[in-house]
Amino acid sequence: MQSIRFSRLEMLFSLKSFAGAMLALYLASRAGLPRPFWAFMTAYIVAHPLAGNVRSKALYRFVGTLLGCAATVVLIPALSAAPELLTLALALWTGLCLYLSLLDRSARSYVFLLAGYSAALIGFPLVEAPAAMFDTAVARVQEIGLGILCASLVHSLVLPASLAPSLLALIDRALGDARRWMSDLLGDGLAHADGARMAADRQRLALDITQLRLLSTHVPFDTGNLRWTAGAIRAMQDRLSALTPTLSAIEDRLEALKVAEGKVPADIASALGRHMGWIAPQEASLPATATAAAIDEARVAFRALADGPASSPWIRALRIDLAVRLEELVREWAACIGLRTDIDAGLAGSAMPRQRAAALGQKVLHRDRGLALRSAATAVLATCACCAVWIATAWPSGSAAAMSAAVFCSFFATMDDPVPAMHKFVAALLWSLPVSVFCVLVVMPLARDFGMLALCIAPFFLLVGCYIARPASSLAALGMFFGVAGTLALQDTANADLPSLLNSNLALILGAVAAARITALVRSVGSDWSARRIRRATSLDLAELASRPQDASARDAYAGRMLDRIALLAPRTAPGAGEEARADALLALRDLRMGADIATLQQWRRSLPAEAVGRLLADSARAFRAQAAGAPRRDEPLLPQIDRLLLDAVHGDPAQPDSAAIAALVGFRRNLFPAAHGALHP
């Protein structure tokens, strides 16, 4: 049972949403638009507690609506003589737009989502009356545009809530999780590593980085100075992504040294213990987190570890690897802290330094084309099924069922199993039916002026708005809202009667039920199925990295994508999975390191024997492709190849290969053959 006590922010959101919606309704009514409640409903749809999110949703929704209307204007005149083909074309357009929306996991996906179901909302009622096509499409664009404008004005001008506090808190949390992981690893972890604690550190950081990438898409629309820091925020995402495989590799190499030597060598433990100041938070003795002197001292000390005592070529290679990773860790952490300082300066109004490297942004996020195609096919099938019943029975309200199926399939498509949420939404629609009947048949005829109408509908919409702002109840509250506002928008409230009202609401509910049933048959997948798809995509990425030389951004892009996958895997493997979930997380982390090492080896391959490196990478690519195809990964021949390259690199030509190439080879060996603790074999 949800509490009826609301916070100040929840009440403020509800008041602003209602004010924007009523302003839109008033202007639409005064302009003589045919369905002014479309403007009212749109103002609520684009509402959000943060002003930047409202403005980005407003822009993307308007562009999507224009695209949907354009599709309607093109399709209806061309296919109006064949209603069956027209309904099929509208269903296919909805499916295509949904597919594109699911591939773009950013705020821009809203454009494609709206383009799809806007065409369904406008087009299906016009299948039987194509002559009104152009006027209806123009009216919908005007009504929706008016709702968008009013909501944007109210949320931007009346006590606007900036994205800055939420985003800065997320950045600081990510930096704090990274700092905690470093402290756990380089401090207490040298003596007695707490695997569960460091696993939690890794998982939190991966989730933070993915949330930061998704939330930062709204930064250019913020109402304050935050929008000028967009470049630094995108660069921060990339630096945090690059930091993670480095930290994971250090954790693995320290463990390898413990196994090989019985403990972490004394000089390494001493150096790490003496040089921890660069990790210190801002409130500690070192101001601004780390001074340049502390950073320089740490880098010099860590670089010297490569020349420490080594009892075998393998230990020598491990020391070189560890020294490279520690120096890289200090450099990447200093870059993160510097970017955090730049963001603070930008918020204060100072000029932002230009970022030298292009930020990777949303390009690194995981995409599942197969699941997106499956979701699109589900939307097409559900919509076509409702259209078939509509055409076969000549049901006057059948178009509402087709619209409902298209919207429902689109709205819940991002979930693994959308059916439970669909059922909850349908239940809320049923609960909203008495309120809809009361509003249309009692309130609307009695409301003689706009003020009376506002007073009559205010209690319901203000209450629902507070529940929409509360995450735990938002889904059910949205169902109630759409049930009532959708009825007011779709009905001719001046001529509505009880039979037509019940008939159209029944069509909406049946369309939603049809969408849920077909989704259960075609689209719903288990979390284990999604996890296997994510792992297969990782194997294909590794094969692609090994197949051909990559540019300098390949490592960071792969790291960002793998962190996104780790964040996606976490909720799919954690519930009740126990040791299996932990094993999956460790495999994902190993794949993260593997991609970074392949990208580094590609970058420095010229410092190693070209033929041997080319053969190693080609054999690795074949092994990863076999794994992606479901066959066992045959990587046994890779171990002697790696060992020969390492022996040549450590004891070969005096013109020693770059340390980064040696580190990448060590990473290759540790990631592919973690149980191979012994000496290198020629």
Side-chain angles (χ1 to χ4, degrees):
M1 180 68 180
Q2 291 290 322
S3 170
I4 60 172
R5 282 190 165 188
F6 301 111
S7 68
R8 174 184 173 276
L9 292 178
E10 289 168 347
M11 290 188 288
L12 179 62
F13 168 78
S14 182
L15 284 169
K16 290 200 294 185
S17 299
F18 184 71
M22 292 307 297
L23 177 61
L25 179 64
Y26 175 78
L27 294 177
S29 301
R30 290 299 300 265
L33 296 177
R35 298 291 171 85
F37 273 99
W38 271 104
F40 178 91
M41 185 168 65
T42 301
Y44 264 94
I45 291 173
V46 300
H48 192 276
L50 301 176
N53 293 53
V54 174
R55 286 144 65 111
S56 67
K57 286 177 68 176
L59 174 63
Y60 295 137
R61 181 175 178 82
F62 186 70
V63 174
T65 302
L66 284 178
L67 288 175
C69 288
T72 305
V73 171
V74 170
L75 293 175
I76 290 181
L79 301 174
S80 59
E84 295 84 359
L85 288 178
L86 177 55
T87 54
L88 176 61
L90 289 171
L92 290 172
W93 170 261
T94 302
L96 173 64
C97 292
L98 178 58
Y99 175 77
L100 296 175
S101 172
L102 292 173
L103 292 185
D104 185 353
R105 292 177 52 216
S106 70
R108 290 185 302 271
S109 65
Y110 207 44
V111 171
F112 302 110
L113 188 69
L114 265 295
Y117 71 69
S118 290
L121 290 172
I122 297 169
F124 282 121
L126 297 175
V127 170
E128 296 177 332
M133 173 269 303
F134 188 77
D135 291 341
T136 301
V138 170
R140 286 300 92 81
V141 171
Q142 290 176 324
E143 291 154 0
I144 291 172
L146 195 56
I148 289 170
L149 176 63
C150 292
S152 301
L153 286 174
V154 170
H155 286 276
S156 298
L157 299 177
V158 180
L159 299 176
S162 174
L163 182 63
S166 300
L167 192 67
L168 293 180
L170 183 56
I171 291 174
D172 290 337
R173 189 173 74 200
L175 291 173
D177 289 335
R179 182 183 289 112
R180 189 177 301 110
W181 186 4
M182 288 188 287
S183 298
D184 290 342
L185 174 61
L186 304 180
D188 296 339
L190 294 176
H192 49 278
D194 187 339
R197 186 169 64 183
M198 282 194 281
D201 294 339
R202 294 190 295 262
Q203 192 174 100
R204 281 196 303 268
L205 182 58
L207 185 59
D208 291 342
I209 294 171
T210 294
Q211 289 179 340
L212 181 58
R213 288 195 186 276
L214 296 174
L215 187 60
S216 63
T217 59
H218 302 287
V219 168
F221 300 92
D222 195 70
T223 54
N225 287 338
L226 183 68
R227 60 185 181 272
W228 310 124
T229 69
I233 290 172
R234 287 194 294 268
M236 172 73 82
Q237 298 162 14
D238 299 337
R239 291 306 93 220
L240 285 170
S241 296
L243 190 73
T244 309
T246 304
L247 260 172
S248 176
I250 292 170
E251 182 179 342
D252 179 78
R253 305 312 178 262
L254 288 172
E255 182 63 28
L257 283 169
K258 286 181 186 178
V259 172
E261 299 275 280
K263 63 177 182 178
V264 175
D267 62 321
I268 294 176
S270 174
L272 293 176
R274 285 185 290 106
H275 297 282
M276 293 286 289
W278 57 277
I279 306 177
Q282 187 171 357
E283 59 267 22
S285 57
L286 293 174
T289 304
T291 64
I295 291 172
D296 290 341
E297 289 175 5
R299 292 180 64 178
V300 170
F302 294 156
R303 190 182 304 124
L305 295 177
D307 300 321
S311 58
S312 68
W314 174 235
I315 299 299
R316 167 76 171 150
L318 281 174
R319 293 183 72 100
I320 292 173
D321 185 359
L322 182 62
V324 169
R325 310 286 179 169
L326 285 169
E327 189 178 356
E328 183 179 359
L329 177 64
V330 176
R331 184 173 61 250
E332 294 289 351
W333 181 248
C336 289
I337 299 306
L339 286 167
R340 182 64 181 87
T341 303
D342 290 344
I343 292 170
D344 281 338
L347 288 173
S350 302
M352 294 294 298
R354 187 174 181 179
Q355 301 301 321
R356 295 181 181 178
L360 298 170
Q362 307 305 312
K363 293 184 290 184
V364 305
L365 293 178
H366 171 70
R367 293 178 176 179
D368 191 333
R369 297 181 185 276
L371 187 58
L373 186 61
R374 196 166 179 167
S375 299
T378 301
V380 173
L381 288 174
T383 306
C384 287
C386 291
C387 289
V389 173
W390 171 26
I391 293 171
T393 61
W395 188 10
S397 298
S399 61
M403 287 188 304
S404 179
V407 172
F408 262 67
C409 288
S410 300
F411 194 70
F412 295 98
T414 57
M415 301 179 180
D416 280 345
D417 184 7
V419 176
M422 286 181 163
H423 288 166
K424 188 174 183 179
F425 207 90
V426 169
L429 287 177
L430 289 171
W431 281 107
S432 73
L433 185 56
V435 183
S436 301
V437 172
F438 179 79
C439 286
V440 173
L441 299 183
V442 178
V443 173
M444 295 303 295
L446 292 179
R448 300 299 181 185
D449 55 40
F450 185 81
M452 185 179 293
L453 173 63
L455 287 174
C456 290
I457 64 175
F460 172 80
F461 285 106
L462 287 173
L463 181 64
V464 167
C466 290
Y467 281 113
I468 290 174
R470 183 175 293 181
S473 60
S474 60
L475 184 62
L478 282 171
M480 290 289 292
F481 168 78
F482 279 113
V484 177
T487 299
L488 291 169
L490 294 172
Q491 290 288 325
D492 181 0
T493 54
N495 301 309
D497 54 27
L498 184 60
S500 65
L501 183 61
L502 293 177
N503 199 22
S504 62
N505 275 274
L506 177 63
L508 289 173
I509 293 170
L510 288 180
V513 171
R517 293 298 86 215
I518 293 176
T519 297
L521 292 173
V522 178
R523 163 62 178 79
S524 292
V525 296
S527 57
D528 55 343
W529 185 90
S530 295
R532 285 196 301 271
R533 297 275 300 176
I534 292 172
R535 296 187 195 104
R536 178 179 179 274
T538 297
S539 298
L540 291 174
D541 270 1
L542 290 172
E544 178 67 19
L545 282 171
S547 296
R548 57 173 182 261
Q550 307 290 328
D551 59 26
S553 66
R555 171 179 169 149
D556 292 351
Y558 177 80
R561 190 153 45 248
M562 271 309 300
L563 287 169
D564 183 36
R565 286 171 181 156
I566 290 172
L568 292 173
L569 279 170
R572 290 176 167 90
T573 57
E579 289 301 319
E580 182 181 353
R582 188 170 179 180
D584 286 336
L586 290 175
L587 283 174
L589 202 61
R590 189 178 300 166
D591 288 337
L592 168 63
R593 298 195 302 266
M594 175 62 74
D597 290 332
I598 292 175
T600 302
L601 192 58
Q602 290 278 25
Q603 187 178 356
W604 296 99
R605 63 187 298 175
R606 292 182 180 177
S607 66
L608 295 167
E611 184 179 351
V613 173
R615 185 167 58 252
L616 173 63
L617 290 172
D619 291 346
S620 301
R622 282 192 289 272
F624 290 129
R625 288 196 182 95
Q627 180 176 282
R633 190 174 74 190
R634 300 186 179 278
D635 49 18
E636 294 83 2
L638 300 178
L639 181 58
Q641 297 181 50
I642 298 171
D643 283 358
R644 282 194 295 270
L645 282 167
L646 275 173
L647 282 171
D648 290 343
V650 174
H651 287 309
D653 190 341
Q656 184 175 312
D658 193 280
S659 298
I662 297 176
L665 286 171
V666 173
F668 234 118
R669 191 179 198 265
R670 285 290 300 163
N671 295 324
L672 285 176
F673 308 101
H677 300 303
L680 301 176
H681 299 287

